[in-house]
Amino acid sequence: ILLLQLLVVIPMSWIRQLKYFQVSNLIANVTVALALAILLAYSLVGLADHGPGEGIQLAGPNWMVFAGTVAFSFECINFVIPMYDAHDDKETFTRILVLTLLGVCALFIVFGAVNYAYYGAQTQPVITLNLPPESPVSHFLPLAFALASLFNVPLFLLPAALQLEVYFTGAVDVWKINAMRAILI
């Protein structure tokens, strides 16, 4: 399976302009949005049918794990400069960025609160582990997240690859650059 993933990801890592990731990023974003909607709907229906979970605490013993996860969730902040460079209207970029980050924060808060309210102390670090094992959703959603990750890996690599190729290859030979990007994958 790993070799099949490499057959998709390595050629995508050779892309050098952010605009060419539009289709793969759209597929990944739609996949994640649908998966999150399914998880949220599952928890909302569960809350309506069964009420809140047991053992809910405002700041439990694992709150440091939460704080670390919050910091990790903004790992793609290094995309701000490439996005700014690719943005046509520089005047609107800051407003769009702030509104987007506020939307992402609101999504994290609502999603986390609803799922924690439903599962309570039984909430697993990976929320798909809370789904019933016999449910088809519990098998489909991890695959959906894996597909989204597959399409986003080359995009995540782009800023680092652009910097490294200047230092290590002098940005002269396309095949050297492609080889370096394949090694990074």
Side-chain angles (χ1 to χ4, degrees):
I1 291 178
L2 182 61
L3 291 176
L4 291 174
Q5 291 174 347
L6 289 175
L7 288 174
V8 173
V9 173
I10 288 177
M12 287 178 66
S13 74
W14 299 339
I15 297 172
R16 288 171 179 74
Q17 293 183 0
L18 194 59
K19 66 182 178 181
Y20 295 117
F21 286 106
Q22 289 176 349
V23 172
S24 62
N25 195 34
L26 179 66
I27 292 169
N29 288 343
V30 168
T31 303
V32 168
L34 288 173
L36 292 177
I38 290 168
L39 285 168
L40 195 59
Y42 191 86
S43 293
L44 286 170
V45 168
L47 275 171
D49 291 346
H50 306 292
E54 295 179 13
I56 296 175
Q57 300 175 354
L58 182 59
N62 294 328
W63 74 271
M64 289 296 288
V65 174
F66 166 76
T69 304
V70 168
F72 179 71
S73 66
F74 286 98
E75 69 177 335
C76 291
I77 200 69
N78 60 334
F79 282 107
V80 171
I81 293 173
M83 285 189 300
Y84 179 79
D85 290 340
H87 195 71
D88 290 334
D89 186 7
K90 306 289 191 234
E91 302 294 321
T92 62
F93 182 79
T94 302
R95 186 173 64 83
I96 292 170
L97 178 66
V98 168
L99 291 174
T100 301
L101 288 177
L102 287 173
V104 168
C105 288
L107 174 68
F108 284 171
I109 291 167
V110 169
F111 185 82
V114 167
N115 280 287
Y116 183 60
Y118 178 54
Y119 296 113
Q122 302 302 316
T123 304
Q124 298 293 320
V126 178
I127 199 67
T128 56
L129 296 176
N130 282 98
L131 297 171
E134 67 278 355
S135 168
V137 173
S138 69
H139 300 291
F140 166 75
L141 288 182
L143 291 174
F145 285 121
L147 175 70
S149 295
L150 178 72
F151 281 127
N152 276 332
V153 166
L155 179 63
F156 296 157
L157 176 72
L158 182 66
L162 290 174
Q163 291 297 317
L164 289 174
E165 70 188 30
V166 172
Y167 293 116
F168 292 115
T169 65
V172 177
D173 186 6
V174 172
W175 290 108
K176 284 182 183 177
I177 294 170
N178 289 347
M180 181 209 56
R181 288 173 178 234
I183 290 169
L184 287 174
I185 293 291

